[in-house]
Amino acid sequence: MAPPYANRALILACVLAFVFRLPPESFAFVPAYFFGTVELAGPLPTAALWRGLFGHVLIHGDIVHLASNMLVLWLLGDVVEREVGHVRYLLLFLAGTVAGALTEGLLAADRMAPLIGASAAICALMGAFLWLRPTCGLLTRRWLRRMVQGVIVVFALLNAAMTLMPPADVSPLAEVGWGAHAGGLAAGLLLGPLVRRRGRAVAAGIA
């Protein structure tokens, strides 16, 4: 089975973007550029719009943000890519990226607030993982796979609560892109059965 080249390349790209201080103002997704505001028409057919729509996954606010996202991406992304293949994996990652950005933009109270980070794309991998039964590695063990799936379900429920009942502006939780997570999870759940390779088993009951 081929190594997960695509996932490793994405991790490397995010790390290099952080090391070389890729400017957030150039790569963040600003919802107003797509949805518009009272003062600003949208979508604006500009390079900034498309660069932000796809490029915001490369930008992370600090080392903790980067490390936590890359750890989950490494652990989960490798498994998903091995199960669905390089091309399907990249399509799933990009779908989560776009779905997360647009969902966050729709739900955001401040559409000028920039969105950064790979969390939405990672959430798409989480959603897809619920459909998979890995054929290699530690997650072939049923108890471990179900434990990971349980963590994903708990995270999804927490995220739904935070999306429906947003935390107060003064709370650190208000800085989290809960809408982006929700969009990514939805994309992964919808696309999981489609990207799964033929002949691969589906996780029984998605449990």
Side-chain angles (χ1 to χ4, degrees):
M1 184 174 292
Y5 296 121
N7 191 52
R8 302 293 174 82
L10 289 168
I11 293 173
L12 179 60
C14 290
V15 171
L16 290 177
F18 185 82
V19 170
F20 289 105
R21 300 181 182 276
L22 214 61
E25 61 272 15
S26 297
F27 288 87
F29 175 70
V30 180
Y33 293 171
F34 191 91
F35 295 100
T37 63
V38 174
E39 300 83 11
L40 183 68
L44 299 178
T46 63
L49 167 63
W50 301 108
R51 187 169 59 242
L53 186 60
F54 294 99
H56 70 273
V57 295
L58 300 174
I59 308 299
H60 291 82
D62 53 39
I63 189 64
V64 175
H65 188 200
L66 175 71
S68 57
N69 269 359
M70 294 306 100
L71 177 61
V72 178
L73 184 56
W74 172 53
L75 294 173
L76 197 60
D78 278 12
V79 175
V80 174
E81 184 177 352
R82 284 192 172 104
E83 293 303 308
V84 306
H86 310 306
V87 175
R88 289 186 178 94
Y89 171 82
L90 285 174
L91 291 175
L92 178 64
F93 190 93
L94 290 175
T97 297
V98 174
L102 297 184
T103 304
E104 178 69 17
L106 280 171
L107 299 178
D110 179 7
R111 288 187 172 173
M112 287 302 296
L115 174 69
I116 59 172
S119 299
I122 294 171
C123 285
L125 303 181
M126 291 181 180
F129 180 80
L130 295 178
W131 291 99
L132 302 177
R133 180 176 292 170
T135 55
C136 66
L138 287 175
L139 292 180
T140 56
R141 299 179 181 180
R142 184 176 180 181
W143 69 269
L144 187 55
R145 184 182 76 248
R146 292 205 168 190
M147 184 178 71
V148 173
Q149 290 173 334
V151 170
I152 292 173
V153 170
V154 170
F155 173 77
L157 293 174
L158 172 63
N159 196 87
M162 292 293 101
T163 303
L164 295 172
M165 297 176 290
D169 292 341
V170 296
S171 170
L173 294 176
E175 299 178 4
V176 178
W178 300 108
H181 294 172
L185 281 163
L189 285 170
L190 290 172
L191 295 176
L194 301 179
V195 299
R196 183 173 50 87
R197 286 175 172 171
R198 290 185 179 181
R200 294 294 176 94
V202 180
I206 319 179

